[in-house]
Amino acid sequence: MRILVAGGAGFIGSHFVKRLLEAGDEAVVLDKLTYSGNRANLPQDVEFVHGDIAVPDDVARAAHGCEAIVNFAAETHVDRSVLSAEEFGHTNFRGTQVLLEHVRQAEIRLVQVSTDEVYGDLEAGGSSRETDPLNPSSPYAAAKAAGELLVPAYVRTYGVHASITRGSNTYGPNQYPEKFIPLFVTNMLDGEPLPLYGDGRQVRDWLHADDHCAGIELILREGGPGEIYNVGGDNEQTNIDVAEKLFALTGADRSLLRRVDDRPGHDRRYSLDTSKLRALGWAPRVPFEEGLRATVDWYRDNRDWWEPIKSGEYRAYYEQQYGARLSTSSPA
Ligand code: NAD
Ligand code: TYD
């Protein structure tokens, strides 16, 4: 198959492109190369179109000859959406609509990559099922929910073939160091303070990028129109427990851990019921301890990937996000 991977220069999208190429498929990448997009995540010879999913001509140019689009393109960071939500509406909602218009006219398939964050948090026990109502808490999650709500509407109204995936917190190589695991790992390797939000007892369900991509690939090949699939790691961990595992792997000094003011609207816990995707034959394969060890090794061995990022635009963002919070922080 020839497949357009929108947002393919980002973290998960680039793993997906490599996976398609290994499977013998043809991949074309459409990416705007925002702060988190990086050509260095991709093989040099991959077909690449520099453009915006919210611009119909860019999408038509990139999707020429493709049988399907898999959409990873998004503004993805909750903390940035708290600082400024404008771009989140543009890409996560408007961009998804432009892609749907294209697949409708070209009569090709779409897989919309969404997130467990659209369910909002589950304070008590239990796990979210695909039929549960959406209850997003952050501007990021709300814009993702708005984008994905267009999908069943286009399926029902126009008969397009489109499916939705809702993945849980993903980790692995090439993740932009604003997110929890790569931020903590790279700060540990540099002996920098580690900003732990609130009490650190929030729970995330960690999924390796390879397992996330395997789920999306299966849904691309076998997913039904209008169907939604949770893709979760069955691996709920508190943030403080993840930090402890990272201390053990990096050997960093525990005194780097700082308790900082919590994120506004911070979701307490996510948990996914994955029985629907498991019934298609998928299961997460990478044990957390192994995946985390390999990820730490990757960041240790690939400073040339992340050091330029951390000395660029990232510095201003980091100062705005953490400067005041770290100066009033306490040891955790
Ligand atoms: P990322 O920020 O690393 O990558 C996003 C990519 O999209 C970048 O390459 C960026 O340049 C590109 N992009 C942004 N706006 C664009 C636009 N208007 N047009 C074209 N390209 C654009 O993100 P990621 O972590 O790889 O996430 C990929 C997808 O997976 C997102 O849709 C996200 O919501 C979803 N997701 C992520 C996680 C996670 O833990 N990282 C979990 C579940 C779901
Ligand atoms: P993050 O990687 O931003 O993913 P999300 O908010 O989309 O789940 O954060 C994961 C968890 O780690 C979340 O509970 C917030 C917390 N966190 C910190 O405690 N400190 C940090 O510096 C960051 C970025 C996140």
Side-chain angles (χ1 to χ4, degrees):
M1 266 209 282
R2 183 173 167 83
I3 295 147
L4 176 63
V5 183
F11 163 47
I12 309 172
S14 62
H15 283 275
F16 191 72
V17 168
K18 289 177 229 164
R19 186 179 186 91
L20 287 180
L21 297 176
E22 274 164 25
D25 292 295
E26 275 180 62
V28 188
V29 171
L30 170 63
D31 200 293
K32 192 177 174 180
L33 296 179
T34 65
Y35 75 92
S36 68
N38 189 343
R39 283 290 320 244
N41 291 344
L42 289 166
Q44 275 192 338
D45 57 353
V46 87
E47 258 187 84
F48 185 85
V49 177
H50 186 200
D52 187 333
I53 60 162
V55 174
D57 285 351
D58 290 355
V59 173
R61 187 159 53 96
H64 186 74
C66 291
E67 291 153 75
I69 301 177
V70 182
N71 181 30
F72 294 87
E75 288 295 330
T76 58
H77 193 34
V78 173
D79 291 320
R80 289 193 191 242
S81 81
V82 174
L83 291 175
S84 167
E86 199 68 27
E87 277 303 302
F88 288 74
H90 171 82
T91 296
N92 301 4
F93 176 73
R94 176 67 188 146
T96 306
Q97 183 169 32
V98 169
L99 293 177
L100 280 161
E101 281 298 330
H102 183 85
V103 300
R104 173 187 165 204
Q105 278 150 28
E107 296 182 0
I108 63 173
R109 298 187 47 183
L110 175 72
V111 176
Q112 170 66 10
V113 177
S114 193
T115 164
D116 60 0
E117 300 196 27
V118 298
Y119 293 116
D121 59 357
L122 298 169
E123 290 250 4
S127 298
S128 302
R129 299 184 62 107
E130 290 86 348
T131 45
D132 285 353
L134 305 189
N135 187 26
S137 315
S138 69
Y140 159 67
K144 288 295 291 183
E148 73 155 77
L149 277 174
L150 288 167
V151 173
Y154 271 65
V155 172
R156 178 160 169 173
T157 307
Y158 304 113
V160 302
H161 191 312
S163 320
I164 294 170
T165 72
R166 293 185 183 143
S168 65
N169 279 72
T170 304
Y171 72 99
N174 299 97
Q175 186 169 27
Y176 195 83
E178 64 190 351
K179 305 280 168 42
F180 180 62
I181 287 180
L183 188 151
F184 269 47
V185 172
T186 57
N187 280 17
M188 284 180 183
L189 295 176
D190 275 350
E192 299 274 344
L194 306 165
L196 186 72
Y197 295 165
D199 65 2
R201 311 295 312 168
Q202 303 84 2
V203 173
R204 296 294 184 266
D205 171 11
W206 291 100
L207 174 70
H208 193 274
D210 288 346
D211 285 327
H212 195 164
C213 288
I216 294 170
E217 185 189 357
L218 183 61
I219 293 157
L220 168 67
R221 302 195 194 282
E222 295 184 23
E227 295 295 332
I228 301 168
Y229 302 89
N230 288 341
V231 191
D234 230 337
N235 175 36
E236 293 180 38
Q237 307 271 343
T238 62
N239 295 337
I240 185 70
D241 285 348
V242 174
E244 297 295 358
K245 291 184 199 311
L246 295 177
F247 277 121
L249 289 167
T250 59
D253 193 328
R254 228 191 150 282
S255 67
L256 294 172
L257 199 61
R258 313 297 299 175
R259 196 177 293 273
V260 301
D261 286 349
D262 207 351
R263 167 192 283 170
H266 196 174
D267 278 337
R268 195 72 186 160
R269 172 175 172 261
Y270 301 130
S271 176
L272 288 178
D273 179 322
T274 56
S275 44
K276 184 170 172 181
L277 188 57
R278 283 172 187 268
L280 286 185
W282 175 89
R285 307 253 173 246
V286 183
F288 192 48
E289 312 287 332
E290 271 177 39
L292 213 50
R293 176 180 301 279
T295 301
V296 169
D297 287 346
W298 188 87
Y299 281 93
R300 198 186 272 118
D301 295 343
N302 287 277
R303 278 184 171 270
D304 57 340
W305 183 86
W306 56 269
E307 278 182 345
I309 293 174
K310 289 194 114 172
S311 58
E313 179 269 358
Y314 186 83
R315 283 246 70 84
Y317 162 74
Y318 195 84
E319 182 50 37
Q320 188 179 10
Q321 187 67 254
Y322 297 109
R325 282 156 109 182
L326 279 170
S327 68
T328 56
S329 65
S330 55

